[in-house]
Amino acid sequence: MDRHKVKRQRLDRICEGIRPPIVNGPMPARPLVALLDGRDCTVEMPILKDVATVAFCDAQSTQEIHEKVLNEAVGALMYHTITLSRQDLEKFKALRVIVRIGSGYDNVDIKSAAELGIAVCNIPSSSVEETADSTLCHILNLYRRVTWLHQAMREGNRASSMEQIREVAGGAVRIRGETLGIIGLGRVGQAVALRAKPFGFNVIFYDPYLPDGVERSLGLQRIGTLQDLLMHSDCITLHCSLNEHNHHLINDFTIKQMRHGCFLVNTARGGLVDEKALAQALKEGRIRGTALDVHESEPFSFAQGPLKDAPNVICTPHTAWYSEQASIESREDAAKEIRRAITGHIPDTLRNCVNKEYLLLAAQWPSIDPAAVHPELNGAVAYRHYIIQCDDANDICRKKRCMPSAYWHRSPRHLTFSCRSLPCMLKTKGDGIVPCNILQEGCRETKAYEMTPMP
């Protein structure tokens, strides 16, 4: 048997079980793309059929995903019904990109994904109109009490006399002059604001991440603190993403800062609201009514949870985003993002990569114990970390801030580099120097530099 082949087999056994680096090397000739928590791929298939094999899993957890998908899938599509923690992500051996079919991505650990070399993308624009329309529908429903009037009619209450009308429609409020407070003025928040103004709402918002001047272009009033917005709003609607900093943004403390008898609407993320505190506030009358499309525990059931006995509650099953058109568009956009990942350069060619910053900061190579690798394999310190020995960053790349991102190509002495916007990993010249050719993407010349193992 060829001795090089023997050495390669020995090296493979040593490195067995180590997750390979996810980098911009050549993909398999026919990469596998899997829809994790669904079964209909009729929209995605025409877009991906010439570049990938598409499969579905219809799983609610990674325990239900087939071993072939865990071992071979390069791309993953997913809705909001499955959660991928770091432990789940580590089960995938070849995954390079995850596309969330929708705007929210709190069901994916994006930082851990980046550390594992997996890009995470979302589709933020396809359901903006639907979510904004549903939000306004909930707001009008709370003010005009349509749901409760319909329920009274179904129960046989004709409300023919003035006293009966007053009893059934009690709590209905005139909209003009009311103050609508929006928390988070992103795409949906802006769409809600523009829809609410013609009804006569005075629209205010709180968003510490929005640049100055946006309020002027939209004709809205910006509020400097969350507390001030809560104090001045007759109806509050949430349109911010969920993260570790705003979990239970609406809690017992913030509810006490609200105007007595205000309305609350949430079509963003269920974790933004402490449902126990909300239920208590509804029973005490501190909040007059609430409309929720998202919940802390989904799928939602009135028979369980703290809201089962709370009055003046409207709940819908996380469908504010849905229309037939929006569903198809979001799936098409997700498939196109997967296609860009397969045919292009991750993450540069991705349109909506939400963990790009983490990807650029994360290590590009797996952590391998040097003692576990035999020094004589392939005639060098195989699969060790290497850095360029160079005095000037401009010798490597014409960009002043770059970091070589490498993957092994053909042999451990041949590395391919691409530029990234990170500080250069340049070290002073030391022992154990290994000659190596460096191919530089984006630079005019191909130069030979010396390489040395990183400590």
Side-chain angles (χ1 to χ4, degrees):
M1 184 179 291
D2 182 61
R3 66 184 179 87
H4 293 292
K5 187 174 182 179
V6 172
K7 290 179 180 179
R8 173 56 60 190
Q9 290 175 346
R10 290 169 60 193
L11 180 60
D12 290 342
R13 285 196 296 270
I14 291 172
C15 296
E16 186 176 3
I18 301 175
R19 193 182 194 279
I22 304 302
V23 287
N24 288 296
M27 287 196 179
R30 194 75 178 172
L32 176 63
V33 174
L35 174 61
L36 300 184
D37 53 344
R39 62 175 63 185
D40 180 12
C41 301
T42 55
V43 173
E44 297 82 1
M45 192 74 73
I47 298 172
L48 295 171
K49 63 181 181 180
D50 63 323
V51 296
T53 299
V54 182
F56 69 86
C57 302
D58 197 21
Q60 300 302 306
S61 70
T62 52
Q63 294 178 344
E64 301 175 16
I65 296 177
H66 195 276
E67 186 177 355
K68 181 178 178 63
V69 172
L70 294 175
N71 290 334
E72 299 180 17
V74 169
L77 296 160
M78 60 182 292
Y79 294 99
H80 63 274
T81 56
I82 189 171
T83 299
L84 297 180
S85 63
R86 184 183 185 91
Q87 185 178 3
D88 296 315
L89 292 168
E90 288 175 344
K91 296 179 182 179
F92 293 90
K93 306 304 181 185
L95 197 59
R96 298 191 187 185
V97 60
I98 298 170
V99 179
R100 163 74 169 87
I101 307 175
S103 59
Y105 47 88
D106 51 281
N107 55 332
V108 183
D109 187 341
I110 62 171
K111 187 173 181 180
S112 293
E115 291 171 354
L116 295 170
I118 304 171
V120 180
C121 308
N122 70 339
I123 308 299
S125 61
S126 57
S127 299
V128 170
E129 296 169 276
E130 285 76 9
T131 307
D133 292 342
S134 297
T135 301
L136 197 65
C137 181
H138 282 313
I139 293 171
L140 298 177
N141 208 342
L142 290 173
Y143 271 90
R144 303 307 306 149
R145 295 189 65 79
V146 177
T147 294
W148 294 283
L149 293 172
H150 169 75
Q151 185 176 348
M153 291 287 288
R154 294 278 293 182
E155 294 172 354
N157 191 335
R158 297 186 179 182
S160 56
S161 68
M162 194 64 197
E163 287 74 17
Q164 290 174 327
I165 293 174
R166 187 177 293 113
E167 180 180 353
V168 170
V173 182
R174 176 180 290 174
I175 292 175
R176 183 163 298 279
E178 291 284 288
T179 299
L180 176 65
I182 300 176
I183 300 177
L185 200 74
R187 298 175 181 86
V188 176
Q190 292 181 29
V192 170
L194 296 175
R195 284 160 170 74
K197 289 177 68 176
F199 283 89
F201 279 107
N202 171 36
V203 182
I204 62 177
F205 76 92
Y206 169 73
D207 192 330
Y209 303 103
L210 207 63
D212 291 340
V214 174
E215 66 276 11
R216 296 178 182 272
S217 64
L218 297 174
L220 306 177
Q221 181 183 354
R222 185 172 199 154
I223 303 299
T225 65
L226 177 61
Q227 181 179 6
D228 287 341
L229 180 133
L230 298 175
M231 292 173 58
H232 291 91
S233 298
D234 298 302
C235 179
I236 296 168
T237 178
L238 306 178
H239 299 288
C240 46
S241 59
L242 177 65
N243 55 54
E244 64 272 18
H245 304 295
N246 61 12
H247 182 258
H248 282 181
L249 179 70
I250 303 301
N251 52 51
D252 185 64
F253 177 74
T254 51
I255 287 173
K256 289 178 180 178
Q257 296 176 337
M258 297 179 186
R259 281 185 176 179
H260 187 83
C262 74
F263 295 116
L264 177 67
V265 177
N266 185 14
T267 58
R269 282 292 174 267
L272 294 171
V273 178
D274 182 350
E275 292 184 353
K276 291 182 180 179
L278 175 60
Q280 187 63 33
L282 287 164
K283 293 174 183 177
E284 296 174 358
R286 286 183 286 157
I287 292 181
R288 190 186 310 180
T290 186
L292 306 174
D293 180 64
V294 289
H295 312 275
E296 285 195 83
S297 178
E298 295 182 358
F300 175 78
S301 172
F302 265 117
Q304 300 175 348
L307 294 173
K308 61 181 179 181
D309 298 323
N312 298 325
V313 178
I314 300 172
C315 289
T316 50
H318 202 151
T319 52
W321 64 275
Y322 184 82
S323 72
E324 194 65 35
Q325 298 91 327
S327 176
I328 293 174
E329 288 174 7
S330 61
R331 292 171 63 186
E332 288 176 343
D333 291 344
K336 291 174 183 177
E337 190 79 323
I338 288 283
R339 186 182 180 92
R340 281 190 287 269
I342 293 174
T343 61
H345 189 280
I346 299 173
D348 299 335
T349 56
L350 300 178
R351 185 166 296 175
N352 296 298
C353 183
V354 297
N355 67 340
K356 187 174 183 178
E357 179 183 353
Y358 293 127
L359 275 173
L360 297 178
L361 292 174
Q364 298 295 315
W365 300 275
S367 178
I368 302 177
D369 183 5
V373 182
H374 196 282
E376 295 181 358
L377 290 179
N378 291 301
V381 278
Y383 283 80
R384 289 276 300 277
H385 293 184
Y386 286 92
I387 54 175
I388 295 174
Q389 301 306 304
C390 174
D391 296 327
D392 188 356
N394 292 320
D395 286 343
I396 303 171
C397 176
R398 301 192 184 280
K399 299 178 183 178
K400 291 185 178 180
R401 293 176 62 81
C402 65
M403 185 187 77
S405 173
Y407 64 88
W408 294 105
H409 178 67
R410 295 186 180 177
S411 75
R413 294 191 182 187
H414 191 176
L415 295 165
T416 300
F417 286 81
S418 60
C419 300
R420 294 291 180 85
S421 297
L422 284 175
C424 293
M425 293 179 61
L426 302 179
K427 301 291 183 179
T428 58
K429 198 168 183 179
D431 298 331
I433 294 173
V434 179
C436 179
N437 292 327
I438 300 173
L439 304 180
Q440 298 169 215
E441 298 176 7
C443 295
R444 297 179 182 177
E445 302 178 15
T446 298
K447 299 181 180 180
Y449 292 95
E450 292 181 318
M451 306 292 291
T452 186
M454 285 184 66

